[in-house]
Amino acid sequence: MNPHFFAAGKDDIDLILEMQEEYYALDNYTFNREMAKEALRIFINDASYGKLWLIFINNQTAGYAALTLGYSFEFGGRDAFLDELYLRSDYRHQGIGAAAVDFVAEQAKSMGVKAIHLEVEIQNESGISLYRRYGFQDHKRMLMTRWV
C-alpha cells in the first residue's frame, strides 16, 4: 500500500477529532472534544506550531501524523515532537506507519529540524519496534509533564 500525505486544513478538523477520539481510546486517555477542537484550530491556522498531515490509502482516510515544533540547545536548535501518529485499525502492520515516519522525517528536515522526539506507551511493543528501526533511541530519561 502506497500512502499519500496531505496537509490538514480547517475543513479537516472534524475528521481529525474523530480519529483522535479513536486514538485516545486505545490507551484510555481522557478525550476532551472541545479542548482538542480549539487546539487543532489554533495549530492548523499557525504554521509556526508545526504541521499535521492526513494519511490516505486508496482515497480512504487511514490516519494522521502531527509534528509539533520546538527548540533545544541540547539537540542543536529546532527540534520537534512526532506528537501523534495514528493509523486506523485496518491500516496497521502494513508498512504505512514506517512510510509515515519516513515522510515526517523528510518534512522535518526540510523545516530545519535537527531532532525529532516522541512518546510511546511502554506496552506498545510494535510501536517501540517501529521507532527503533527508524533511529529513535531511548535516552534513559523520563518525560514529565506539568499542566499550567
Side-chain angles (χ1 to χ4, degrees):
M1 291 190 185
N2 190 20
H4 297 280
F5 302 88
F6 297 96
K10 63 183 177 183
D11 293 340
D12 300 312
I13 289 175
D14 287 334
L15 173 61
I16 297 163
L17 286 169
E18 178 183 312
M19 289 187 287
Q20 275 187 327
E21 191 164 12
E22 294 167 11
Y23 181 30
Y24 288 31
L26 289 174
D27 293 312
N28 297 311
Y29 293 159
T30 300
F31 183 73
N32 179 322
R33 188 173 195 82
E34 289 308 309
M35 184 176 78
K37 186 173 188 173
E38 180 64 6
L40 280 169
R41 187 191 64 72
I42 292 168
F43 185 83
I44 286 172
N45 286 317
D46 188 341
S48 71
Y49 290 123
K51 201 153 186 181
L52 191 148
W53 298 273
L54 295 170
I55 305 167
F56 285 90
I57 301 289
N58 299 326
N59 296 319
Q60 297 295 312
T61 308
Y64 69 95
L67 185 75
T68 61
L69 299 173
Y71 196 90
S72 171
F73 292 107
E74 178 181 355
F75 292 101
R78 171 72 76 193
D79 68 346
F81 262 86
L82 178 50
D83 191 55
E84 295 190 357
L85 172 56
Y86 174 69
L87 293 174
R88 289 182 153 157
S89 60
D90 290 347
Y91 300 99
R92 296 180 195 144
H93 309 290
Q94 300 175 45
I96 300 165
V101 171
D102 276 342
F103 174 82
V104 169
E106 286 176 24
Q107 295 299 306
K109 187 174 184 177
S110 75
M111 296 163 75
V113 171
K114 307 289 186 200
I116 302 172
H117 315 285
L118 57 79
E119 294 177 87
V120 61
E121 293 295 323
I122 291 171
Q123 71 273 12
N124 185 352
E125 294 176 14
S126 63
I128 292 169
S129 176
L130 168 69
Y131 297 135
R132 283 189 175 141
R133 282 194 318 270
Y134 283 84
F136 287 88
Q137 301 170 7
D138 179 355
H139 287 274
K140 308 295 183 226
R141 299 178 188 168
M142 177 176 38
L143 179 67
M144 298 176 70
T145 302
R146 176 181 169 185
W147 289 82
V148 293

